[in-house]
Amino acid sequence: MYKEHLTLLKRLQLVADLLLVAVSFVASYRLEERLASGTELESFGSVVWLAPSLALVWLFFLDANGLYYTYRTIRRRDLVVGIGKSILQGVTLFGAALFLLDVEVSRALLVAFAGTAFALLVVERLAVQGLLSRARERGLNFNSILVVGTGPAAQRVAGAIRRNPHWGLRVLGHVAIDPDERGRQIEDASVIGTLDEVERLLAENPIDEVAVAMPELAADRLGALLVLCEREGVKARVIADLYRPANARMVAEELDGIPIVTFSIGPGVGWQLVCKEAFDRVGALALLGVLSPLLALIAIAIRVDSPGPMLFVQERLGLRKRRFRLYKFRTMIEGAEEQREALEARNESSPPAFKIREDPRVTRVGRWLRRLSLDELPQLWNVLRGEMSFVGPRPPLPQEVARYEGWQRRRLTMKPGISGLWQVMGRGRPIDFADWVRLDLEYIDNWSLALDARILLRTLPTVIFGKGAV
């Protein structure tokens, strides 16, 4: 809530981190030197360049993960996780660069360096946070805040500040629209004026920040208030209590100088999503090359087994209802789609999905392809084109989406995949479309690279043993 820009504390923190990185490197080198007695090691001068190189990479990720903002509101757990995440990201990037550049560096030294730096950075940050928290609890190093508003939003702000004295924030008082509210007590402060008196209050009182917690405030009044704070050199914060999203993330952004509050659904755009996209494209290209003989054999088997094309091409909906042509090996007789309406009574899934375990339209080769999920292999081309991913919700038909309930449409907020949570968790259970969608939404809401990796690892035995194949 109270992130600050670059301050003296941040500059001091940068210097301290650089010193700790240098200490970590020397300690790691000496440790490896002791443990590797009798083994020839790289000279100190030949590897000393690691320290400044990794320091720059780590400091970048520490800053990107918000570790150089104020200590006022960050939790200890988030502090430790943020440092660990930054170190891991930095080592991964640096290790990949060393591999691509074919640079010989001791892995033991790199791991020891990262581990020592992590431990020292955690101890340093927790020590600084503890000292600052104790100082603030004693009334030192605090910011004085004028809260504009007396309603629920203002009360929540005041309550949060009261419950967290280590933030070093104090509510000087509240400002109301109605003069009759003057003197009203809200948490540890009272209403000391009206909206028309803000200019006088700023001129007469030591105020560091103004928190506008009045959602009903008209745009012109809010603009005038922000101009007044800017003129007085006081930091102004607008509490965005317009809407409380159940799943969307709220992000403050700027578009060509225009301040915007954005509510976004799905995983957004970040380094993990970039890695997912890169893995999809490179992996699909590699698999298409490696599996090309198998793809050719399957195509021949399909043509020999039954008349018709080798591929089944169907229009599906992808990310945010973008239409694309999905490719599969044909597993049914020619003209199978025209027979679907006659088989609706045998549907084992709840609408709008359509699944039959013993589908009479499936060919002999098609049954084997489905059992081993080999019919999905042509979708590697969809992945290479960026229309699909290795992991994600299955792409639906346009007519299925037309029958979705409102809450089910959110499954289209992520790129569809060849495999997903349903394929590894629900594939062998009785098919219920609502449960299927819930698994897809669970995947979207909890998405990470680690989750994708777990799904891919569980997909292999599911495919090999044909669990739940229909």
Side-chain angles (χ1 to χ4, degrees):
M1 174 181 169
Y2 288 95
K3 290 183 178 179
E4 299 176 1
H5 296 293
L6 189 62
T7 60
L8 177 61
L9 177 62
K10 178 175 177 178
R11 295 189 183 97
L12 292 175
Q13 189 71 73
L14 280 166
V15 174
D17 288 348
L18 288 171
L19 290 175
L20 286 177
V21 168
V23 171
S24 300
F25 177 76
V26 174
S28 301
Y29 184 83
R30 297 306 176 197
L31 176 64
E32 187 188 30
E33 197 174 40
R34 285 195 174 189
L35 295 177
S37 55
T39 303
E40 186 176 349
L41 297 176
E42 308 100 322
S43 65
F44 187 81
S46 66
V47 293
V48 72
W49 61 272
L50 274 174
S53 302
L54 264 175
L56 291 174
V57 176
W58 285 342
L59 294 181
F60 168 78
F61 283 114
L62 286 169
D63 191 33
N65 288 318
L67 271 298
Y68 285 114
Y69 291 120
T70 179
Y71 286 93
R72 290 187 187 274
T73 57
I74 191 169
R75 296 178 296 179
R76 290 186 177 183
R77 182 186 65 184
D78 295 335
L79 197 63
V80 174
V81 170
I83 294 173
K85 183 178 176 181
S86 303
I87 295 292
L88 181 60
Q89 291 168 346
V91 170
T92 302
L93 178 64
F94 198 74
L98 292 178
F99 175 76
L100 293 174
L101 296 173
D102 196 23
V103 178
E104 290 292 333
V105 173
S106 169
R107 294 178 183 174
L109 176 60
L110 194 61
V111 172
F113 188 15
T116 307
F118 170 74
L120 291 179
L121 287 171
V122 168
V123 170
E124 174 223 10
R125 296 301 179 95
L126 292 179
V128 173
Q129 186 187 50
L131 290 172
L132 291 176
S133 295
R134 281 194 289 272
R136 289 165 184 149
E137 288 173 353
R138 294 175 183 176
L140 303 174
N141 187 235
F142 65 87
N143 281 357
S144 177
I145 298 179
L146 178 68
V147 178
V148 177
T150 58
Q155 292 170 26
R156 283 195 294 271
V157 170
I161 291 173
R162 178 185 58 79
R163 290 190 300 271
N164 297 277
H166 59 280
W167 287 355
L169 305 172
R170 284 185 182 176
V171 178
L172 176 72
H174 290 257
V175 168
I177 294 179
D178 188 353
D180 293 338
E181 287 197 82
R182 190 187 301 273
R184 173 188 168 191
Q185 195 72 17
I186 300 176
E187 295 291 344
D188 297 331
S190 60
V191 178
I192 59 175
T194 64
L195 199 58
D196 295 329
E197 297 177 296
V198 170
E199 184 173 5
R200 176 184 63 80
L201 292 172
L202 290 176
E204 296 178 356
N205 296 279
I207 296 173
D208 298 298
E209 304 180 17
V210 171
V212 183
M214 191 181 288
E216 69 276 15
L217 191 63
D220 57 339
R221 298 293 299 273
L222 175 61
L225 183 59
L226 295 178
V227 169
L228 179 61
C229 292
E230 184 178 356
R231 190 186 72 193
E232 293 289 333
V234 174
K235 184 179 295 182
R237 304 187 185 275
V238 179
I239 311 303
D241 198 37
L242 308 172
Y243 159 65
R244 291 182 171 274
N247 299 289
R249 298 183 317 280
M250 185 171 64
V251 181
E253 300 178 305
E254 187 174 290
L255 180 64
D256 195 23
I258 304 171
I260 296 174
V261 177
T262 301
F263 298 92
S264 59
I265 293 291
V269 178
W271 70 272
Q272 289 197 79
L273 205 61
V274 172
C275 291
K276 177 181 173 74
E277 186 76 16
F279 175 79
D280 285 340
R281 302 294 183 96
V282 174
L285 182 61
L287 285 174
L288 283 171
V290 171
L291 297 176
S292 54
L294 176 61
L295 297 176
L297 287 174
I298 293 174
I300 294 171
I302 293 172
R303 290 300 299 269
V304 171
D305 181 54
S306 63
M310 295 175 293
L311 292 177
F312 173 69
V313 184
Q314 191 176 50
E315 187 178 73
R316 298 288 183 104
L317 295 187
L319 178 64
R320 296 187 179 88
K321 298 183 283 297
R322 288 178 172 83
R323 295 175 181 259
F324 70 97
R325 291 163 61 85
L326 177 136
Y327 299 93
K328 298 177 68 173
F329 279 126
R330 182 175 60 83
T331 60
M332 292 185 177
I333 60 175
E334 196 171 10
E337 285 298 296
E338 286 74 19
Q339 300 180 23
R340 173 170 168 169
E341 187 175 348
L343 296 170
E344 283 287 350
R346 296 178 57 182
N347 185 15
E348 298 177 27
S349 175
S350 57
F354 182 81
K355 297 285 183 181
I356 301 177
R357 291 185 184 275
E358 298 297 331
D359 197 321
R361 301 170 297 171
V362 179
T363 63
R364 288 175 301 174
V365 170
R367 287 191 179 88
W368 284 103
L369 293 178
R370 287 187 169 205
R371 184 176 297 277
L372 298 175
S373 295
L374 295 177
D375 59 318
E376 312 283 359
L377 287 180
Q379 289 164 44
L380 291 172
W381 177 248
N382 292 116
V383 175
L384 183 62
R385 287 168 54 92
E387 297 160 337
M388 291 180 63
S389 174
F390 279 113
V391 183
R394 287 297 295 166
L397 294 164
Q399 58 266 34
E400 291 175 347
V401 174
R403 298 171 64 186
Y404 276 8
E405 296 178 21
W407 66 275
Q408 295 171 342
R409 291 181 176 274
R410 195 160 63 84
R411 78 189 294 254
L412 298 170
T413 58
M414 194 159 189
K415 188 180 291 187
I418 298 177
S419 183
L421 269 184
W422 180 79
Q423 278 74 14
V424 298
M425 293 181 63
R427 198 175 184 216
R429 301 187 310 205
I431 302 167
D432 183 86
F433 184 70
D435 291 338
W436 187 350
V437 175
R438 288 189 186 97
L439 283 173
D440 286 338
L441 296 184
E442 180 182 337
Y443 168 76
I444 293 171
D445 294 337
N446 299 284
W447 177 80
S448 67
L449 287 177
L451 179 58
D452 271 8
R454 289 198 296 271
I455 291 174
L456 287 175
L457 289 175
R458 292 184 63 178
T459 297
L460 293 176
T462 300
V463 169
I464 291 172
F465 296 109
K467 180 182 177 183
V470 293

